[in-house]
């Protein structure tokens, strides 16, 4: 059982590395759960394609304005902008809850 944490819903065009990991792991028969931010990027059917692999998705919504605000406030800090861009208490809670309940 694998709980996969991602900053977006992976697809072949956007989040390609995540998509490659998930599709390869699913093909090998692993049981996978995806926790991510509900932002499919430029690929509208990304969630449908992931679910087509048999992977349930636990996605949380964070407005783009809020994410960019985190980046602007942390621009001169030491925290990487990608980390700031994905900051979410809701995503953290979903991920930790899944880890507690999912026997990973």
């Amino acid at each position: 059982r694998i709980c996969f944490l991602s900053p977006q819903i992976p697809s072949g065009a956007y989040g390609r590395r995540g998509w490659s990991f998930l599709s390869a792991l699913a093909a090998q028969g692993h049981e996978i759960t995806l926790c991510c931010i509900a932002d499919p990027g430029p690929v509208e059917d990304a969630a449908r394609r992931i679910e087509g692999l048999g992977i349930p998705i636990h996605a949380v919504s964070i407005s783009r304005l809020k994410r960019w605000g985190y980046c602007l406030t942390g621009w001169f800090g030491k925290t990487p902008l990608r980390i700031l861009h994905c900051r979410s208490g809701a995503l953290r809670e979903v991920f930790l809850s899944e880890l507690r309940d999912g026997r990973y």
Side-chain angles (χ1 to χ4, degrees):
R1 290 184 47 103
I2 299 168
C3 189
F4 193 90
L5 181 63
S6 177
Q8 78 270 341
I9 298 172
S11 71
Y14 185 68
R16 186 178 307 208
R17 182 176 294 154
W19 168 256
S20 295
F21 283 142
L22 291 174
S23 59
L25 291 168
Q28 293 176 6
H30 292 279
E31 188 177 336
I32 306 161
T33 300
L34 173 63
C35 295
C36 62
I37 295 172
D39 182 4
V43 182
E44 294 300 320
D45 65 342
R48 185 180 51 78
R49 292 187 67 206
I50 293 288
E51 289 169 338
L53 296 173
I55 300 172
I57 300 172
H58 299 285
V60 299
S61 294
I62 309 169
S63 74
R64 286 180 183 237
L65 183 62
K66 190 175 214 177
R67 288 187 276 162
W68 284 107
Y70 290 149
C71 290
L72 288 174
T73 59
W75 184 260
F76 297 103
K78 293 183 179 183
T79 304
L81 294 180
R82 184 63 162 173
I83 299 296
L84 294 171
H85 187 256
C86 300
R87 178 185 291 172
S88 167
L91 181 58
R92 176 185 160 103
E93 286 305 312
V94 165
F95 181 64
L96 293 177
S97 175
E98 187 62 33
L99 288 180
R100 280 190 295 269
D101 300 340
R103 293 172 284 151
Y104 292 95

